[in-house]
Amino acid sequence: MWSSTNNHHPPLSISGLNLFFTLLLTSLTLSNNASGLKLFTHPHGRLHRLTGLFHLLCLLYGALFLIYNNHHTQNVVKNDWQMKCLVYDITLGTSGIITTLTAASSFPHRHILNRPGESGTLAKRAIVTQGEMVEHSFYQGVNLVQVVYLHLVTWALVGEERLEVVVVFGKRFGMLLLVTLPWAIRKRFPVNSFSANWRNNTVEMNKNNRHDNRGIRVGTEKESKYLWLINGMYRFKKWQYVFYKHVILHGLNISVASSHQSYKNDDTTSLPLPLTPQWRIFWLLLNTSYVMEFFLQSLVKRQVLTQKFMMVLNALLMISASIASMESNVLGQVKVEAAVISLFLNFYNRGHDVLNTMVTFIIVHFGNKFIRM
């Protein structure tokens, strides 16, 4: 999926993405009795299967055609490239949300209760619950809002040097508030703690589960030979989530809003962040990771993949996404103080992401102005 017309060597993250899709498509194609392909054609849950197929094709299209723009120095082509990326990002994000929600509504996952400490995304005999799916849809929505925000910033900040300081601050404050507002309804969505998957104290978890008598209890036994690996992967996911939330999400949004850079329509020397290859790769890996957690488990249930191979694919996605997030054009856009203050307020004032983010923005914005005086 790496374009042969590009003169640079592919980074590890895109190599990991290419390898993942190669292994996945090979497994689907070579599976016995085409059981993998039947996941898209079975009449039950047809809407979900069709939206899932469309989303998979969107991911493949993005990996093939929408990472590198080899003619970005031409302004007309650059604007065309920006519009293509914006339309694609909205389409990909929306199809991912629809795929997740149709899965939650088309199949009886609301009746499933896994053993305490086990999640359906990794445990061999566990099944993805409806709560896990709905929670995923929230974060997919947050990702979609963020990428639209990053695109719009490119246009909204054009010509800011001609505006009053108060007007500039108000515009940036308003844009950041809008991109953060979805967190105001976070409590309306299920919460599935990563740490709950490796805690040994299951008594407290049983107390908090009000539907034990109405669900179907499934899951692997605690002496599973893969338990140590599953617990390790959940620990990695936990800190990967913390990094994602306070660095790539809140940290990046705050940094963009408090940046002193202003864009110009005739700037042909550089690309805005959402058009850079580094962000394109990260955005694809992020969307791939969100849907593949569930899809790979379905492939295990259909015996298209083994449990061990499924965890290898999950690990490949996790590592590739982490590498992509560390690229200079992604991580390098984040102000350290924005990420640190966001993380601190998360523990000090938990559950108030909108307030925490806006307070962090004010501190970073005026703090930078004071330092430059």
Side-chain angles (χ1 to χ4, degrees), residues 82 86 89 143-157 179 248-249 252-257 263 272-275 279 282-283 330 333:
Q82 185 170 24
L86 174 60
D89 290 347
N143 294 335
L144 173 59
V145 172
Q146 182 190 33
V147 78
V148 173
Y149 163 78
L150 294 176
H151 278 288
L152 294 183
V153 161
T154 305
W155 292 310
L157 302 188
V179 77
I248 302 299
L249 194 62
L252 180 59
N253 291 345
I254 294 167
S255 298
V256 168
Y263 297 95
L273 175 62
L275 305 186
W279 175 266
F282 172 74
W283 171 246
V330 179
Q333 301 295 320

PDB file of all heavy atoms in Angstrom, residues 82 86 89 143-157 179 248-249 252-257 263 272-275 279 282-283 330 333:
ATOM      1  N   GLN A  82      -6.763  18.696   0.221  1.00  0.00           N
ATOM      2  CA  GLN A  82      -7.375  18.986   1.515  1.00  0.00           C
ATOM      3  C   GLN A  82      -8.853  18.612   1.522  1.00  0.00           C
ATOM      4  O   GLN A  82      -9.349  18.018   2.488  1.00  0.00           O
ATOM      5  CB  GLN A  82      -7.208  20.460   1.859  1.00  0.00           C
ATOM      6  CG  GLN A  82      -7.711  20.826   3.245  1.00  0.00           C
ATOM      7  CD  GLN A  82      -7.309  22.221   3.657  1.00  0.00           C
ATOM      8  OE1 GLN A  82      -7.043  23.069   2.809  1.00  0.00           O
ATOM      9  NE2 GLN A  82      -7.247  22.476   4.944  1.00  0.00           N
ATOM     10  N   LEU A  86     -10.633  15.730   3.833  1.00  0.00           N
ATOM     11  CA  LEU A  86     -11.729  16.084   4.737  1.00  0.00           C
ATOM     12  C   LEU A  86     -12.945  15.205   4.486  1.00  0.00           C
ATOM     13  O   LEU A  86     -13.529  14.660   5.432  1.00  0.00           O
ATOM     14  CB  LEU A  86     -12.094  17.560   4.564  1.00  0.00           C
ATOM     15  CG  LEU A  86     -13.321  18.051   5.347  1.00  0.00           C
ATOM     16  CD1 LEU A  86     -13.119  17.864   6.841  1.00  0.00           C
ATOM     17  CD2 LEU A  86     -13.632  19.506   5.016  1.00  0.00           C
ATOM     18  N   ASP A  89     -12.170  11.654   5.642  1.00  0.00           N
ATOM     19  CA  ASP A  89     -12.114  11.504   7.097  1.00  0.00           C
ATOM     20  C   ASP A  89     -13.516  11.494   7.708  1.00  0.00           C
ATOM     21  O   ASP A  89     -13.794  10.723   8.633  1.00  0.00           O
ATOM     22  CB  ASP A  89     -11.284  12.635   7.707  1.00  0.00           C
ATOM     23  CG  ASP A  89      -9.811  12.501   7.385  1.00  0.00           C
ATOM     24  OD1 ASP A  89      -9.397  11.428   6.920  1.00  0.00           O
ATOM     25  OD2 ASP A  89      -9.062  13.484   7.587  1.00  0.00           O
ATOM     26  N   ASN A 143     -13.196  11.051  18.070  1.00  0.00           N
ATOM     27  CA  ASN A 143     -12.150  11.088  17.044  1.00  0.00           C
ATOM     28  C   ASN A 143     -12.617  11.819  15.792  1.00  0.00           C
ATOM     29  O   ASN A 143     -11.856  12.569  15.170  1.00  0.00           O
ATOM     30  CB  ASN A 143     -11.717   9.663  16.685  1.00  0.00           C
ATOM     31  CG  ASN A 143     -11.035   8.956  17.835  1.00  0.00           C
ATOM     32  OD1 ASN A 143     -10.470   9.592  18.729  1.00  0.00           O
ATOM     33  ND2 ASN A 143     -11.103   7.636  17.848  1.00  0.00           N
ATOM     34  N   LEU A 144     -13.865  11.574  15.408  1.00  0.00           N
ATOM     35  CA  LEU A 144     -14.416  12.234  14.223  1.00  0.00           C
ATOM     36  C   LEU A 144     -14.486  13.750  14.432  1.00  0.00           C
ATOM     37  O   LEU A 144     -14.096  14.535  13.550  1.00  0.00           O
ATOM     38  CB  LEU A 144     -15.808  11.675  13.912  1.00  0.00           C
ATOM     39  CG  LEU A 144     -16.591  12.370  12.790  1.00  0.00           C
ATOM     40  CD1 LEU A 144     -15.809  12.316  11.477  1.00  0.00           C
ATOM     41  CD2 LEU A 144     -17.961  11.719  12.623  1.00  0.00           C
ATOM     42  N   VAL A 145     -14.967  14.162  15.589  1.00  0.00           N
ATOM     43  CA  VAL A 145     -15.059  15.600  15.883  1.00  0.00           C
ATOM     44  C   VAL A 145     -13.668  16.228  15.881  1.00  0.00           C
ATOM     45  O   VAL A 145     -13.463  17.348  15.379  1.00  0.00           O
ATOM     46  CB  VAL A 145     -15.756  15.827  17.242  1.00  0.00           C
ATOM     47  CG1 VAL A 145     -15.678  17.294  17.646  1.00  0.00           C
ATOM     48  CG2 VAL A 145     -17.214  15.389  17.166  1.00  0.00           C
ATOM     49  N   GLN A 146     -12.682  15.508  16.415  1.00  0.00           N
ATOM     50  CA  GLN A 146     -11.328  16.064  16.462  1.00  0.00           C
ATOM     51  C   GLN A 146     -10.750  16.273  15.067  1.00  0.00           C
ATOM     52  O   GLN A 146     -10.154  17.320  14.777  1.00  0.00           O
ATOM     53  CB  GLN A 146     -10.381  15.162  17.262  1.00  0.00           C
ATOM     54  CG  GLN A 146      -8.975  15.755  17.357  1.00  0.00           C
ATOM     55  CD  GLN A 146      -7.950  14.801  17.923  1.00  0.00           C
ATOM     56  OE1 GLN A 146      -8.026  13.590  17.712  1.00  0.00           O
ATOM     57  NE2 GLN A 146      -6.973  15.338  18.658  1.00  0.00           N
ATOM     58  N   VAL A 147     -10.904  15.284  14.198  1.00  0.00           N
ATOM     59  CA  VAL A 147     -10.286  15.417  12.874  1.00  0.00           C
ATOM     60  C   VAL A 147     -10.960  16.521  12.070  1.00  0.00           C
ATOM     61  O   VAL A 147     -10.300  17.245  11.303  1.00  0.00           O
ATOM     62  CB  VAL A 147     -10.313  14.070  12.119  1.00  0.00           C
ATOM     63  CG1 VAL A 147     -11.687  13.769  11.515  1.00  0.00           C
ATOM     64  CG2 VAL A 147      -9.250  14.039  11.025  1.00  0.00           C
ATOM     65  N   VAL A 148     -12.277  16.708  12.242  1.00  0.00           N
ATOM     66  CA  VAL A 148     -12.957  17.835  11.588  1.00  0.00           C
ATOM     67  C   VAL A 148     -12.421  19.154  12.143  1.00  0.00           C
ATOM     68  O   VAL A 148     -12.178  20.113  11.395  1.00  0.00           O
ATOM     69  CB  VAL A 148     -14.482  17.733  11.774  1.00  0.00           C
ATOM     70  CG1 VAL A 148     -15.171  18.995  11.253  1.00  0.00           C
ATOM     71  CG2 VAL A 148     -15.027  16.500  11.059  1.00  0.00           C
ATOM     72  N   TYR A 149     -12.214  19.200  13.447  1.00  0.00           N
ATOM     73  CA  TYR A 149     -11.653  20.397  14.099  1.00  0.00           C
ATOM     74  C   TYR A 149     -10.278  20.738  13.530  1.00  0.00           C
ATOM     75  O   TYR A 149      -9.994  21.891  13.204  1.00  0.00           O
ATOM     76  CB  TYR A 149     -11.575  20.123  15.601  1.00  0.00           C
ATOM     77  CG  TYR A 149     -10.670  21.030  16.403  1.00  0.00           C
ATOM     78  CD1 TYR A 149     -11.060  22.313  16.756  1.00  0.00           C
ATOM     79  CD2 TYR A 149      -9.423  20.571  16.848  1.00  0.00           C
ATOM     80  CE1 TYR A 149     -10.238  23.130  17.514  1.00  0.00           C
ATOM     81  CE2 TYR A 149      -8.596  21.376  17.611  1.00  0.00           C
ATOM     82  CZ  TYR A 149      -9.004  22.658  17.937  1.00  0.00           C
ATOM     83  OH  TYR A 149      -8.183  23.461  18.692  1.00  0.00           O
ATOM     84  N   LEU A 150      -9.430  19.733  13.370  1.00  0.00           N
ATOM     85  CA  LEU A 150      -8.085  19.972  12.852  1.00  0.00           C
ATOM     86  C   LEU A 150      -8.127  20.490  11.414  1.00  0.00           C
ATOM     87  O   LEU A 150      -7.312  21.323  11.014  1.00  0.00           O
ATOM     88  CB  LEU A 150      -7.250  18.695  12.940  1.00  0.00           C
ATOM     89  CG  LEU A 150      -6.931  18.193  14.353  1.00  0.00           C
ATOM     90  CD1 LEU A 150      -6.190  16.869  14.302  1.00  0.00           C
ATOM     91  CD2 LEU A 150      -6.119  19.238  15.122  1.00  0.00           C
ATOM     92  N   HIS A 151      -9.077  19.975  10.629  1.00  0.00           N
ATOM     93  CA  HIS A 151      -9.229  20.472   9.260  1.00  0.00           C
ATOM     94  C   HIS A 151      -9.723  21.919   9.254  1.00  0.00           C
ATOM     95  O   HIS A 151      -9.192  22.764   8.527  1.00  0.00           O
ATOM     96  CB  HIS A 151     -10.221  19.594   8.492  1.00  0.00           C
ATOM     97  CG  HIS A 151      -9.616  18.336   7.936  1.00  0.00           C
ATOM     98  ND1 HIS A 151      -8.743  18.338   6.870  1.00  0.00           N
ATOM     99  CD2 HIS A 151      -9.775  17.034   8.288  1.00  0.00           C
ATOM    100  CE1 HIS A 151      -8.380  17.092   6.583  1.00  0.00           C
ATOM    101  NE2 HIS A 151      -8.993  16.280   7.434  1.00  0.00           N
ATOM    102  N   LEU A 152     -10.753  22.203  10.055  1.00  0.00           N
ATOM    103  CA  LEU A 152     -11.358  23.533  10.043  1.00  0.00           C
ATOM    104  C   LEU A 152     -10.423  24.606  10.578  1.00  0.00           C
ATOM    105  O   LEU A 152     -10.510  25.769  10.171  1.00  0.00           O
ATOM    106  CB  LEU A 152     -12.662  23.515  10.842  1.00  0.00           C
ATOM    107  CG  LEU A 152     -13.791  22.656  10.257  1.00  0.00           C
ATOM    108  CD1 LEU A 152     -15.056  22.788  11.110  1.00  0.00           C
ATOM    109  CD2 LEU A 152     -14.084  23.032   8.815  1.00  0.00           C
ATOM    110  N   VAL A 153      -9.547  24.229  11.504  1.00  0.00           N
ATOM    111  CA  VAL A 153      -8.587  25.187  12.043  1.00  0.00           C
ATOM    112  C   VAL A 153      -7.745  25.782  10.915  1.00  0.00           C
ATOM    113  O   VAL A 153      -7.402  26.972  10.926  1.00  0.00           O
ATOM    114  CB  VAL A 153      -7.688  24.510  13.099  1.00  0.00           C
ATOM    115  CG1 VAL A 153      -6.410  25.305  13.330  1.00  0.00           C
ATOM    116  CG2 VAL A 153      -8.438  24.376  14.412  1.00  0.00           C
ATOM    117  N   THR A 154      -7.425  24.944   9.935  1.00  0.00           N
ATOM    118  CA  THR A 154      -6.617  25.406   8.807  1.00  0.00           C
ATOM    119  C   THR A 154      -7.271  26.583   8.105  1.00  0.00           C
ATOM    120  O   THR A 154      -6.597  27.539   7.695  1.00  0.00           O
ATOM    121  CB  THR A 154      -6.418  24.254   7.802  1.00  0.00           C
ATOM    122  OG1 THR A 154      -5.846  23.135   8.484  1.00  0.00           O
ATOM    123  CG2 THR A 154      -5.502  24.678   6.674  1.00  0.00           C
ATOM    124  N   TRP A 155      -8.596  26.542   7.955  1.00  0.00           N
ATOM    125  CA  TRP A 155      -9.311  27.635   7.292  1.00  0.00           C
ATOM    126  C   TRP A 155      -9.669  28.753   8.271  1.00  0.00           C
ATOM    127  O   TRP A 155      -9.590  29.931   7.921  1.00  0.00           O
ATOM    128  CB  TRP A 155     -10.591  27.097   6.646  1.00  0.00           C
ATOM    129  CG  TRP A 155     -10.354  26.181   5.498  1.00  0.00           C
ATOM    130  CD1 TRP A 155      -9.542  26.417   4.417  1.00  0.00           C
ATOM    131  CD2 TRP A 155     -10.903  24.876   5.293  1.00  0.00           C
ATOM    132  NE1 TRP A 155      -9.568  25.351   3.565  1.00  0.00           N
ATOM    133  CE2 TRP A 155     -10.390  24.383   4.069  1.00  0.00           C
ATOM    134  CE3 TRP A 155     -11.785  24.076   6.010  1.00  0.00           C
ATOM    135  CZ2 TRP A 155     -10.732  23.139   3.554  1.00  0.00           C
ATOM    136  CZ3 TRP A 155     -12.136  22.829   5.506  1.00  0.00           C
ATOM    137  CH2 TRP A 155     -11.605  22.368   4.299  1.00  0.00           C
ATOM    138  N   ALA A 156     -10.056  28.396   9.475  1.00  0.00           N
ATOM    139  CA  ALA A 156     -10.543  29.395  10.431  1.00  0.00           C
ATOM    140  C   ALA A 156      -9.465  30.368  10.873  1.00  0.00           C
ATOM    141  O   ALA A 156      -9.755  31.513  11.221  1.00  0.00           O
ATOM    142  CB  ALA A 156     -11.146  28.701  11.650  1.00  0.00           C
ATOM    143  N   LEU A 157      -8.213  29.921  10.862  1.00  0.00           N
ATOM    144  CA  LEU A 157      -7.138  30.773  11.365  1.00  0.00           C
ATOM    145  C   LEU A 157      -6.431  31.554  10.265  1.00  0.00           C
ATOM    146  O   LEU A 157      -5.423  32.216  10.522  1.00  0.00           O
ATOM    147  CB  LEU A 157      -6.120  29.922  12.137  1.00  0.00           C
ATOM    148  CG  LEU A 157      -6.679  29.128  13.323  1.00  0.00           C
ATOM    149  CD1 LEU A 157      -5.552  28.480  14.109  1.00  0.00           C
ATOM    150  CD2 LEU A 157      -7.529  30.000  14.226  1.00  0.00           C
ATOM    151  N   VAL A 179     -15.085  21.361  20.138  1.00  0.00           N
ATOM    152  CA  VAL A 179     -14.491  20.043  19.925  1.00  0.00           C
ATOM    153  C   VAL A 179     -14.443  19.236  21.228  1.00  0.00           C
ATOM    154  O   VAL A 179     -14.339  18.006  21.210  1.00  0.00           O
ATOM    155  CB  VAL A 179     -13.079  20.179  19.314  1.00  0.00           C
ATOM    156  CG1 VAL A 179     -12.052  20.588  20.350  1.00  0.00           C
ATOM    157  CG2 VAL A 179     -12.653  18.862  18.659  1.00  0.00           C
ATOM    158  N   ILE A 248      -2.639  13.057  22.586  1.00  0.00           N
ATOM    159  CA  ILE A 248      -3.126  13.124  21.205  1.00  0.00           C
ATOM    160  C   ILE A 248      -4.486  13.795  21.109  1.00  0.00           C
ATOM    161  O   ILE A 248      -4.794  14.444  20.099  1.00  0.00           O
ATOM    162  CB  ILE A 248      -3.189  11.712  20.596  1.00  0.00           C
ATOM    163  CG1 ILE A 248      -1.806  11.055  20.643  1.00  0.00           C
ATOM    164  CG2 ILE A 248      -3.695  11.761  19.161  1.00  0.00           C
ATOM    165  CD1 ILE A 248      -0.743  11.791  19.875  1.00  0.00           C
ATOM    166  N   LEU A 249      -5.303  13.683  22.146  1.00  0.00           N
ATOM    167  CA  LEU A 249      -6.652  14.253  22.069  1.00  0.00           C
ATOM    168  C   LEU A 249      -6.683  15.651  22.707  1.00  0.00           C
ATOM    169  O   LEU A 249      -6.580  16.662  22.011  1.00  0.00           O
ATOM    170  CB  LEU A 249      -7.650  13.316  22.757  1.00  0.00           C
ATOM    171  CG  LEU A 249      -9.128  13.597  22.480  1.00  0.00           C
ATOM    172  CD1 LEU A 249      -9.449  13.442  21.013  1.00  0.00           C
ATOM    173  CD2 LEU A 249     -10.014  12.693  23.305  1.00  0.00           C
ATOM    174  N   LEU A 252      -3.333  17.767  22.061  1.00  0.00           N
ATOM    175  CA  LEU A 252      -3.198  18.279  20.697  1.00  0.00           C
ATOM    176  C   LEU A 252      -4.221  19.373  20.416  1.00  0.00           C
ATOM    177  O   LEU A 252      -3.894  20.407  19.822  1.00  0.00           O
ATOM    178  CB  LEU A 252      -3.347  17.136  19.692  1.00  0.00           C
ATOM    179  CG  LEU A 252      -3.239  17.531  18.217  1.00  0.00           C
ATOM    180  CD1 LEU A 252      -1.890  18.173  17.919  1.00  0.00           C
ATOM    181  CD2 LEU A 252      -3.446  16.296  17.321  1.00  0.00           C
ATOM    182  N   ASN A 253      -5.464  19.163  20.842  1.00  0.00           N
ATOM    183  CA  ASN A 253      -6.504  20.175  20.613  1.00  0.00           C
ATOM    184  C   ASN A 253      -6.144  21.502  21.286  1.00  0.00           C
ATOM    185  O   ASN A 253      -6.307  22.577  20.698  1.00  0.00           O
ATOM    186  CB  ASN A 253      -7.846  19.672  21.139  1.00  0.00           C
ATOM    187  CG  ASN A 253      -8.408  18.528  20.315  1.00  0.00           C
ATOM    188  OD1 ASN A 253      -7.964  18.281  19.197  1.00  0.00           O
ATOM    189  ND2 ASN A 253      -9.375  17.822  20.875  1.00  0.00           N
ATOM    190  N   ILE A 254      -5.669  21.413  22.521  1.00  0.00           N
ATOM    191  CA  ILE A 254      -5.276  22.630  23.246  1.00  0.00           C
ATOM    192  C   ILE A 254      -4.077  23.292  22.575  1.00  0.00           C
ATOM    193  O   ILE A 254      -4.022  24.523  22.425  1.00  0.00           O
ATOM    194  CB  ILE A 254      -4.951  22.287  24.712  1.00  0.00           C
ATOM    195  CG1 ILE A 254      -6.210  21.807  25.442  1.00  0.00           C
ATOM    196  CG2 ILE A 254      -4.340  23.490  25.429  1.00  0.00           C
ATOM    197  CD1 ILE A 254      -5.933  21.159  26.784  1.00  0.00           C
ATOM    198  N   SER A 255      -3.117  22.486  22.148  1.00  0.00           N
ATOM    199  CA  SER A 255      -1.900  23.028  21.530  1.00  0.00           C
ATOM    200  C   SER A 255      -2.219  23.744  20.226  1.00  0.00           C
ATOM    201  O   SER A 255      -1.653  24.803  19.932  1.00  0.00           O
ATOM    202  CB  SER A 255      -0.902  21.892  21.277  1.00  0.00           C
ATOM    203  OG  SER A 255      -0.518  21.272  22.495  1.00  0.00           O
ATOM    204  N   VAL A 256      -3.123  23.175  19.432  1.00  0.00           N
ATOM    205  CA  VAL A 256      -3.513  23.812  18.179  1.00  0.00           C
ATOM    206  C   VAL A 256      -4.232  25.129  18.460  1.00  0.00           C
ATOM    207  O   VAL A 256      -3.986  26.149  17.802  1.00  0.00           O
ATOM    208  CB  VAL A 256      -4.418  22.872  17.354  1.00  0.00           C
ATOM    209  CG1 VAL A 256      -5.063  23.614  16.186  1.00  0.00           C
ATOM    210  CG2 VAL A 256      -3.613  21.685  16.839  1.00  0.00           C
ATOM    211  N   ALA A 257      -5.108  25.126  19.458  1.00  0.00           N
ATOM    212  CA  ALA A 257      -5.862  26.337  19.796  1.00  0.00           C
ATOM    213  C   ALA A 257      -4.967  27.428  20.367  1.00  0.00           C
ATOM    214  O   ALA A 257      -5.232  28.623  20.176  1.00  0.00           O
ATOM    215  CB  ALA A 257      -6.971  26.010  20.791  1.00  0.00           C
ATOM    216  N   TYR A 263      -2.366  30.625   9.418  1.00  0.00           N
ATOM    217  CA  TYR A 263      -2.242  30.028   8.099  1.00  0.00           C
ATOM    218  C   TYR A 263      -2.494  31.068   7.016  1.00  0.00           C
ATOM    219  O   TYR A 263      -3.215  32.047   7.212  1.00  0.00           O
ATOM    220  CB  TYR A 263      -3.238  28.875   7.940  1.00  0.00           C
ATOM    221  CG  TYR A 263      -2.980  27.745   8.895  1.00  0.00           C
ATOM    222  CD1 TYR A 263      -3.664  27.668  10.106  1.00  0.00           C
ATOM    223  CD2 TYR A 263      -2.047  26.765   8.601  1.00  0.00           C
ATOM    224  CE1 TYR A 263      -3.421  26.635  10.994  1.00  0.00           C
ATOM    225  CE2 TYR A 263      -1.795  25.732   9.484  1.00  0.00           C
ATOM    226  CZ  TYR A 263      -2.485  25.667  10.676  1.00  0.00           C
ATOM    227  OH  TYR A 263      -2.243  24.652  11.551  1.00  0.00           O
ATOM    228  N   PRO A 272      -0.796  21.563   6.405  1.00  0.00           N
ATOM    229  CA  PRO A 272      -1.403  21.541   7.742  1.00  0.00           C
ATOM    230  C   PRO A 272      -1.359  20.120   8.304  1.00  0.00           C
ATOM    231  O   PRO A 272      -1.285  19.139   7.551  1.00  0.00           O
ATOM    232  CB  PRO A 272      -2.843  21.990   7.475  1.00  0.00           C
ATOM    233  CG  PRO A 272      -2.794  22.700   6.169  1.00  0.00           C
ATOM    234  CD  PRO A 272      -1.732  22.021   5.373  1.00  0.00           C
ATOM    235  N   LEU A 273      -1.408  20.013   9.623  1.00  0.00           N
ATOM    236  CA  LEU A 273      -1.274  18.721  10.289  1.00  0.00           C
ATOM    237  C   LEU A 273      -2.148  17.621   9.707  1.00  0.00           C
ATOM    238  O   LEU A 273      -1.646  16.519   9.414  1.00  0.00           O
ATOM    239  CB  LEU A 273      -1.557  18.875  11.790  1.00  0.00           C
ATOM    240  CG  LEU A 273      -1.559  17.579  12.603  1.00  0.00           C
ATOM    241  CD1 LEU A 273      -0.196  16.907  12.560  1.00  0.00           C
ATOM    242  CD2 LEU A 273      -1.985  17.851  14.045  1.00  0.00           C
ATOM    243  N   PRO A 274      -3.479  17.809   9.518  1.00  0.00           N
ATOM    244  CA  PRO A 274      -4.303  16.686   9.057  1.00  0.00           C
ATOM    245  C   PRO A 274      -4.022  16.242   7.629  1.00  0.00           C
ATOM    246  O   PRO A 274      -4.577  15.231   7.177  1.00  0.00           O
ATOM    247  CB  PRO A 274      -5.733  17.229   9.175  1.00  0.00           C
ATOM    248  CG  PRO A 274      -5.592  18.707   9.115  1.00  0.00           C
ATOM    249  CD  PRO A 274      -4.281  19.016   9.771  1.00  0.00           C
ATOM    250  N   LEU A 275      -3.158  16.962   6.915  1.00  0.00           N
ATOM    251  CA  LEU A 275      -2.806  16.572   5.548  1.00  0.00           C
ATOM    252  C   LEU A 275      -1.431  15.924   5.461  1.00  0.00           C
ATOM    253  O   LEU A 275      -1.059  15.423   4.401  1.00  0.00           O
ATOM    254  CB  LEU A 275      -2.837  17.794   4.625  1.00  0.00           C
ATOM    255  CG  LEU A 275      -4.126  18.617   4.578  1.00  0.00           C
ATOM    256  CD1 LEU A 275      -4.035  19.696   3.509  1.00  0.00           C
ATOM    257  CD2 LEU A 275      -5.334  17.731   4.336  1.00  0.00           C
ATOM    258  N   TRP A 279       0.160  12.221  10.053  1.00  0.00           N
ATOM    259  CA  TRP A 279      -1.184  12.212  10.627  1.00  0.00           C
ATOM    260  C   TRP A 279      -2.089  11.252   9.871  1.00  0.00           C
ATOM    261  O   TRP A 279      -2.902  10.561  10.479  1.00  0.00           O
ATOM    262  CB  TRP A 279      -1.796  13.609  10.624  1.00  0.00           C
ATOM    263  CG  TRP A 279      -3.222  13.580  11.098  1.00  0.00           C
ATOM    264  CD1 TRP A 279      -4.348  13.486  10.328  1.00  0.00           C
ATOM    265  CD2 TRP A 279      -3.667  13.537  12.458  1.00  0.00           C
ATOM    266  NE1 TRP A 279      -5.474  13.409  11.115  1.00  0.00           N
ATOM    267  CE2 TRP A 279      -5.077  13.446  12.428  1.00  0.00           C
ATOM    268  CE3 TRP A 279      -3.015  13.590  13.689  1.00  0.00           C
ATOM    269  CZ2 TRP A 279      -5.844  13.396  13.589  1.00  0.00           C
ATOM    270  CZ3 TRP A 279      -3.793  13.548  14.844  1.00  0.00           C
ATOM    271  CH2 TRP A 279      -5.174  13.452  14.792  1.00  0.00           C
ATOM    272  N   PHE A 282      -1.458   7.829  11.185  1.00  0.00           N
ATOM    273  CA  PHE A 282      -1.983   7.676  12.541  1.00  0.00           C
ATOM    274  C   PHE A 282      -3.507   7.604  12.535  1.00  0.00           C
ATOM    275  O   PHE A 282      -4.097   6.770  13.233  1.00  0.00           O
ATOM    276  CB  PHE A 282      -1.529   8.847  13.417  1.00  0.00           C
ATOM    277  CG  PHE A 282      -2.183   8.859  14.768  1.00  0.00           C
ATOM    278  CD1 PHE A 282      -1.810   7.946  15.737  1.00  0.00           C
ATOM    279  CD2 PHE A 282      -3.185   9.776  15.070  1.00  0.00           C
ATOM    280  CE1 PHE A 282      -2.431   7.933  16.982  1.00  0.00           C
ATOM    281  CE2 PHE A 282      -3.807   9.772  16.303  1.00  0.00           C
ATOM    282  CZ  PHE A 282      -3.431   8.849  17.267  1.00  0.00           C
ATOM    283  N   TRP A 283      -4.168   8.455  11.764  1.00  0.00           N
ATOM    284  CA  TRP A 283      -5.623   8.482  11.700  1.00  0.00           C
ATOM    285  C   TRP A 283      -6.173   7.148  11.189  1.00  0.00           C
ATOM    286  O   TRP A 283      -7.154   6.625  11.704  1.00  0.00           O
ATOM    287  CB  TRP A 283      -6.047   9.645  10.811  1.00  0.00           C
ATOM    288  CG  TRP A 283      -7.500   9.706  10.467  1.00  0.00           C
ATOM    289  CD1 TRP A 283      -8.047   9.556   9.232  1.00  0.00           C
ATOM    290  CD2 TRP A 283      -8.602   9.927  11.358  1.00  0.00           C
ATOM    291  NE1 TRP A 283      -9.419   9.671   9.286  1.00  0.00           N
ATOM    292  CE2 TRP A 283      -9.783   9.905  10.592  1.00  0.00           C
ATOM    293  CE3 TRP A 283      -8.711  10.150  12.727  1.00  0.00           C
ATOM    294  CZ2 TRP A 283     -11.053  10.094  11.135  1.00  0.00           C
ATOM    295  CZ3 TRP A 283      -9.978  10.333  13.268  1.00  0.00           C
ATOM    296  CH2 TRP A 283     -11.119  10.310  12.489  1.00  0.00           C
ATOM    297  N   VAL A 330       3.123  14.605  14.521  1.00  0.00           N
ATOM    298  CA  VAL A 330       1.966  14.374  15.380  1.00  0.00           C
ATOM    299  C   VAL A 330       2.317  14.793  16.804  1.00  0.00           C
ATOM    300  O   VAL A 330       1.796  15.769  17.336  1.00  0.00           O
ATOM    301  CB  VAL A 330       1.508  12.903  15.330  1.00  0.00           C
ATOM    302  CG1 VAL A 330       0.312  12.701  16.252  1.00  0.00           C
ATOM    303  CG2 VAL A 330       1.147  12.504  13.902  1.00  0.00           C
ATOM    304  N   GLN A 333       3.563  18.393  17.567  1.00  0.00           N
ATOM    305  CA  GLN A 333       2.610  19.503  17.601  1.00  0.00           C
ATOM    306  C   GLN A 333       2.039  19.746  18.999  1.00  0.00           C
ATOM    307  O   GLN A 333       1.377  20.754  19.237  1.00  0.00           O
ATOM    308  CB  GLN A 333       1.448  19.210  16.644  1.00  0.00           C
ATOM    309  CG  GLN A 333       1.854  18.995  15.200  1.00  0.00           C
ATOM    310  CD  GLN A 333       2.445  20.238  14.562  1.00  0.00           C
ATOM    311  OE1 GLN A 333       1.969  21.338  14.789  1.00  0.00           O
ATOM    312  NE2 GLN A 333       3.505  20.056  13.778  1.00  0.00           N
TER     313      GLN A 333
END
